[in-house]
Amino acid sequence: AHTIRVAHTSKRKQARRDWNNVVTTTNMKVVGLSILRVGRDLSEPVPLAMVNDLSSFGYFQRQGVAEMLTFFSRTFTKRTQPGQRQSVTHESYIVHCYVRSDGLAGTVTSDLEYPARVAFVLLTQMLDEFAQEYGDAWKKEIRPESMPFPKMDEYLQNYQNPAEADKVTKIQKDLDETTEILHKTIDSVLERGVKLDALVERSDDLSRQSKMFYKQAKKTNSCCVIS
């Protein structure tokens, strides 16, 4: 994979400033969507399709942000039980995870203000449409990002404004308000004794540059759900 190398200290500082600006903005709601497959035949969830909105991030951050989105989507989906919906909070962001009983899963990464109910309606609709388009073909797929789903771009755009999306969800009633949504932190999701830093270090989703940026951002207290 092509790696964007940040050669100068001034550029690294600018990237950190850009990230701090992103954290305080109120305009960005949904950062990324992913569709994955989980199953007993897999050691790790397979991302079948992903789409991100990285326009609010600094140029030198975007590759690292995309890689961290993949990493967190796989990490939290792996720790979500079939039929379960859970929202995992880390710093200023939440990863909303839903795993269907058939092993098809999805995540929405959003800021803290984005309504969980809307995120899970998005996931329910998106996974249903994906399954309709591909039938059972996804159930044996093991190649990452091998099943393109252009409608994800529409979901990413249409659900950026949760107020407008919420009006639609109230009419369609695709998700019962009584549906249980578990709200957790990273520490409560990870197994006892497992540390996020160790998972980051071992992850194949992250390039060496992204791992380095993650560590640098953590030292400056600017590390959120994405590096």
Side-chain angles (χ1 to χ4, degrees), residues 54-66:
L54 305 181
S55 59
S56 298
F57 293 86
Y59 176 79
F60 293 104
Q61 288 183 304
R62 292 179 185 177
Q63 178 181 342
V65 168

Side-chain angles (χ1 to χ4, degrees), residues 26-27 63 87 90 142 157 162 186:
T26 57
N27 294 326
Q63 178 181 342
S87 298
H90 182 50
I142 59 174
Q157 180 178 355
I186 281 185

